[in-house]
Amino acid sequence: MSDRLVVGVDIGNSTTEACLALVGPGGAVTHLGTALTRTTGVKGTPASTEGALTAVRRVLADVGRRPDELDRVLLNEATPVISGLAMETITETVITESTMIGHNPATPGGEGLGVGVTVSVLDLPEHPVGEPAVVVVPAGWDFDDVAGALNDAVARGVEVVAAVLAGDDAVLVTNRLHTPVPVVDEVSAVEKVPLGMRAAVEVAAPGRTIRTLSNTYGIATVFDLDPDQTRQVSPVARALTGNRSAVVVRTPSGDVTDRRIPVGVLELRGETRTVKVDVDAGAEAIMAALARVQPLRDAHGEPGTHVGGMLAAVRDTMADTMADGSGEAPGDIAIRDVLAVDTFVPAEVRGGLAGEIALENAVGLAAMVRTSRSRMQAVAARVAAELATEATIGGVEGEMAVLGALTTPGVQVPVVVVDLGGGSTDAASLSADGVCTAVHVAGAGELVTRLVDSELALDDREVAEWVKRWPLAKVESFFHVRHEDGTVQFFDEPLPSHVFARVVVLTPDGPVPLATRRSLDAVRRVRREAKQRVFVVNTLRALRQVAPDGDLRRLDFVVLLGGSALDFEIPDLIADALAGFGVVCGTGNVLGDQGPRNAVASGLVAAYANGLGG
Amino acid sequence: MSPRREDRVEPPAVVLHHAPGAPSAVLREVSAGAEEEGVPLRLQRVPDGAAVALGHAAARDSRLSVGVGVSADGAVAVHHAQLPADRPALAVRDGTPADWRRAGRTAARVVTGLPLQ
């Protein structure tokens, strides 16, 4: 019997991989080549056939073989897994009656504290002498005219103590005053500042933050408040903490509230009991509830909430995917895992006069839906017909991944592989006595992208994906950048003006500026914490489910696989987290040269060869 | 031969070279833009020229290496001495007062190392 030409094909959530090999009569394997393409449709459904065919044809073409030479195509038994994501904002900051202005403009003017009564610059000529004035200037006023009006009033005997401007010219106005006062500018909705009210304007010296208006008792002193009123203004002081400038207006019932938004209930149905948990209780409470019901059988969210909508949507998508017009029941479709993550969303404050931003608390939720029904036989039949060769289901995904991972130099049984994917994180273990266990947990690369997107307020999935994928740098001149580790790189060609002094992502196509006022360190922290909260948490969750007695210390070799194992820092974060358990952990190198790719496809070939060799 | 840069006694400033007849409204707004950012600006009248060339000459003349050129027709260019002569950091033609103010702010921000927009 001669050598057989076989190809293992792994249809994954986002990529389809092929591994071509010659298998001798005794089971000796000669690897010829590998190929990778995007998965078409949902894995394990007939729509994914197209991607499988592309991968097979590509690997054959690479090594100059024809489809009719193929002895057999080996496919993995892949359970369709669809994941969904949702974000619920659970707090909201509201300013009522224009009590304060706290947008922190880049260049306020003057410094100090001015307390008086708000008056429009138009009414300033009639303003009574003896009543300190906080002058409010609408848009369209030139800085020379504003300074002139203020100087005239002072000459008339009016005590001008501060000014609030619509335009960006606080420094220009202050520089032209005979007696400089604190000036806050860039107040876009200046016409909404209540007139005839007592107000305080504070501007700190450059490099400093305000001291009086960020202190509850400071505000109480300025406005002569009683203890009850003091209690009411304490959120105002808190909202202004850390600013270089601020305005507080004393209105009869104005307030700043940090409101909790009721976001509904998540119902988790376990094997033996059902637990309901309020989503606004936060991620920790949700994950604690999940732990109480393990193993999860299904989950439902309250209709009308984001979480309810998301859970219904993933279920519907799966039902649509499985309904192929054959009239067969779509099988048992159930949410089998959820991951909740506490996050924050910078949002514009309601009732703010100058586009104030507050960090609102939110809960991010990833869910994974599985079905009991597999359609791989249909995929195999179509592959066989298209290529005019035999196509069989060569093995179950988790087991095949383990077999493939074992081709990594230095790895031996017992071993656990962790596949860090886009929608789910999967783990499979092979014990010394040959027992294989596999688990899927919700949340992976897409959730990281989502967290980065919302926490940095990028509002651009593509840019968020880049932030996740590539390191950052700060452009320090037209010719050099400082990388996030502090090293400096010079360029021959000048960098474009739009990246000057910005935090940029170093994509292979060049630096992309981030539309954020945050420092490089802050952006880096957001990126690393998102990866930590998803991949490190999920790897530990998955490993606990497959480890003997759930004890991580009893694991020996852990091999990281999948697209996110190629990330420049995720494997390090996971290795750090596992270091304390005495586990050998690293990124897989399938066949000694494929890195963390191609494990399942190689495993299929190995399983077939093992079968021949007996 | 001109004296070395270090030998001059002028305080560090962004230098603005303007052609004779450059509109005073443009000069006012550019100056205001730099002033709002807190960076000194020194105006200097020079023989006629195009905005970009004036800006580059001004940048080479500035101890901060940043210059602004304003031509007789009111075009504005912000330049840095290390940039290629034909590639200014910002060029404004047929601008509005807001554009001119922005040019002054941009020149100041090249000095202070803040994002230009």
Side-chain angles (χ1 to χ4, degrees):
Chain A
M1 205 171 93
S2 64
D3 289 354
R4 298 179 186 189
L5 186 66
V6 300
V7 60
V9 180
D10 166 31
I11 304 174
N13 281 314
S14 51
T15 57
T16 296
E17 298 170 342
C19 173
L20 186 69
L22 273 177
V23 179
V29 179
T30 316
H31 288 281
L32 300 179
T34 60
L36 181 147
T37 183
R38 285 215 75 75
T39 296
T40 51
V42 174
K43 77 167 181 179
T45 66
S48 59
T49 310
E50 212 49 52
L53 290 171
T54 306
V56 172
R57 290 187 176 125
R58 195 168 287 174
V59 70
L60 286 169
D62 278 355
V63 299
R65 297 278 191 156
R66 296 185 313 278
D68 58 25
E69 293 176 70
L70 264 184
D71 190 72
R72 188 181 290 260
V73 177
L74 303 158
L75 294 161
N76 61 318
E77 179 59 272
T79 322
V81 173
I82 297 177
S83 52
L85 295 172
M87 197 82 81
E88 292 280 11
T89 310
I90 56 182
T91 58
E92 183 186 32
T93 306
V94 184
I95 303 176
T96 51
E97 292 197 21
S98 312
T99 12
M100 63 161 230
I101 300 170
H103 62 308
N104 215 15
T107 51
E111 63 179 83
L113 177 70
V115 184
V117 170
T118 51
V119 53
S120 167
V121 70
L122 297 163
D123 303 331
L124 194 56
E126 287 82 47
H127 191 73
V129 176
E131 188 177 63
V134 171
V135 184
V136 179
V137 184
W141 273 68
D142 187 83
F143 55 87
D144 269 332
D145 300 339
V146 176
L150 266 57
N151 284 332
D152 286 351
V154 172
R156 198 163 60 79
V158 176
E159 197 190 344
V160 173
V161 293
V164 178
L165 315 180
D168 177 17
D169 27 29
V171 176
L172 290 163
V173 169
T174 314
N175 286 350
R176 282 158 184 74
L177 293 180
H178 301 318
T179 32
V181 293
V183 181
V184 169
D185 62 355
E186 294 182 70
V187 179
S188 45
V190 79
E191 70 280 357
K192 289 188 189 151
V193 175
L195 298 174
M197 298 284 176
R198 275 182 75 73
V201 177
E202 185 177 10
V203 174
R208 302 230 170 192
T209 57
I210 50 169
R211 309 302 302 165
T212 305
L213 299 185
S214 59
N215 172 8
T216 306
Y217 302 121
I219 299 178
T221 311
V222 162
F223 293 121
D224 200 14
L225 303 180
D226 64 33
D228 271 349
Q229 294 167 323
T230 304
R231 187 171 291 127
Q232 272 175 16
V233 299
S234 113
V236 175
R238 214 167 48 236
L240 295 172
T241 302
N243 280 7
R244 205 194 132 194
S245 67
V247 180
V248 174
V249 186
R250 176 91 182 103
T251 51
S253 56
D255 199 0
V256 176
T257 45
D258 187 12
R259 205 160 69 83
R260 283 192 93 74
I261 308 169
V263 287
V265 170
L266 186 65
E267 186 185 297
L268 302 167
R269 285 182 204 151
E271 195 87 301
T272 53
R273 59 171 163 165
T274 297
V275 170
K276 288 188 176 181
V277 56
D278 282 326
V279 173
D280 65 2
E284 209 173 310
I286 296 171
M287 295 314 282
L290 181 67
R292 286 206 300 280
V293 302
Q294 283 290 15
L296 185 68
R297 283 285 158 254
D298 204 359
H300 288 274
E302 196 165 304
T305 66
H306 287 144
V307 168
M310 183 270 281
L311 293 179
V314 283
R315 212 187 303 272
D316 289 351
T317 309
M318 180 61 94
D320 288 348
T321 309
M322 298 311 290
D324 52 355
S326 66
E328 285 180 63
D332 167 33
I333 293 176
I335 309 281
R336 301 307 294 274
D337 189 44
V338 293
L339 172 68
V341 178
D342 281 326
T343 177
F344 53 84
V345 182
E348 195 161 314
V349 173
R350 207 143 61 85
L353 297 187
E356 287 94 339
I357 301 289
L359 286 182
E360 307 295 1
N361 295 314
V363 173
L365 205 67
M368 184 195 66
V369 60
R370 287 182 67 177
T371 164
S372 55
R373 179 163 161 237
S374 166
R375 305 278 303 281
M376 279 314 289
Q377 282 301 344
V379 177
R382 285 172 67 165
V383 167
E386 281 284 331
L387 296 172
T389 182
E390 204 172 333
T392 53
I393 309 296
V396 179
E397 199 170 10
E399 293 173 29
M400 296 302 108
V402 172
L403 280 184
L406 282 171
T407 65
T408 293
V411 173
Q412 68 166 24
V413 179
V415 62
V416 182
V417 302
V418 181
D419 185 344
L420 309 168
S424 69
T425 303
D426 309 327
S429 79
L430 183 63
S431 66
D433 45 10
V435 180
C436 192
T437 334
V439 296
H440 304 264
V441 296
E446 285 160 24
L447 180 58
V448 173
T449 306
R450 182 74 168 264
L451 291 173
V452 168
D453 192 18
S454 63
E455 293 191 1
L456 296 176
L458 298 172
D459 214 12
D460 186 331
R461 289 294 298 275
E462 197 178 7
V463 173
E465 182 73 26
W466 292 337
V467 171
K468 178 180 81 173
R469 223 175 254 249
W470 313 108
L472 300 165
K474 172 81 187 282
V475 177
E476 295 202 327
S477 80
F478 285 111
F479 288 94
H480 80 279
V481 303
R482 187 176 296 273
H483 291 277
E484 59 177 64
D485 67 347
T487 55
V488 171
Q489 184 181 2
F490 276 85
F491 296 91
D492 294 335
E493 275 290 295
L495 293 154
S497 301
H498 70 271
V499 304
F500 182 82
R502 290 210 179 264
V503 176
V504 294
V505 187
L506 296 170
T507 73
D509 298 328
V512 174
L514 298 182
T516 175
R517 269 169 84 174
R518 305 250 216 122
S519 70
L520 180 145
D521 285 333
V523 177
R524 178 171 183 268
R525 195 158 51 241
V526 164
R527 181 194 73 210
R528 286 174 69 89
E529 279 178 9
K531 289 175 177 176
Q532 192 94 35
R533 281 177 292 167
V534 176
F535 279 116
V536 174
V537 166
N538 262 351
T539 300
L540 295 178
R541 272 195 325 138
L543 288 177
R544 286 206 175 92
Q545 290 181 43
V546 298
D549 303 328
D551 182 2
L552 298 186
R553 289 181 190 285
R554 292 174 61 186
L555 295 173
D556 281 309
F557 292 94
V558 173
V559 181
L560 306 178
L561 301 173
S564 297
L566 291 166
D567 187 88
F568 66 98
E569 62 191 350
I570 291 171
D572 297 351
L573 293 172
I574 293 173
D576 281 352
L578 288 177
F581 298 101
V583 175
V584 181
C585 174
T587 304
N589 192 10
V590 174
L591 301 177
D593 62 1
Q594 294 292 309
R597 291 279 191 197
N598 218 272
V600 174
S602 310
L604 284 163
V605 172
Y608 177 73
N610 290 349
L612 284 189
Chain B
M1 215 168 81
S2 65
R4 289 203 347 251
R5 243 185 221 183
E6 292 78 8
D7 295 342
R8 289 192 216 128
V9 285
E10 278 146 1
V14 171
V15 175
L16 183 151
H17 282 185
H18 62 94
S24 61
V26 177
L27 299 180
R28 176 183 191 265
E29 291 300 324
V30 172
S31 305
E35 185 185 338
E36 176 68 22
E37 296 289 319
V39 174
L41 180 85
R42 179 158 55 82
L43 272 67
Q44 200 175 329
R45 206 172 81 159
V46 296
D48 204 8
V52 172
L54 291 175
H56 199 243
R60 276 174 298 157
D61 204 28
S62 160
R63 285 178 63 189
L64 298 172
S65 297
V66 178
V68 183
V70 181
S71 63
D73 62 357
V76 185
V78 177
H79 229 310
H80 190 280
Q82 283 155 17
L83 284 172
D86 59 341
R87 288 169 64 178
L90 176 74
V92 175
R93 217 162 231 303
D94 303 323
T96 61
D99 293 328
W100 304 327
R101 180 82 69 99
R102 187 161 59 92
R105 192 163 62 223
T106 298
R109 289 184 160 212
V110 172
V111 174
T112 53
L114 292 172
L116 303 185
Q117 284 314 304

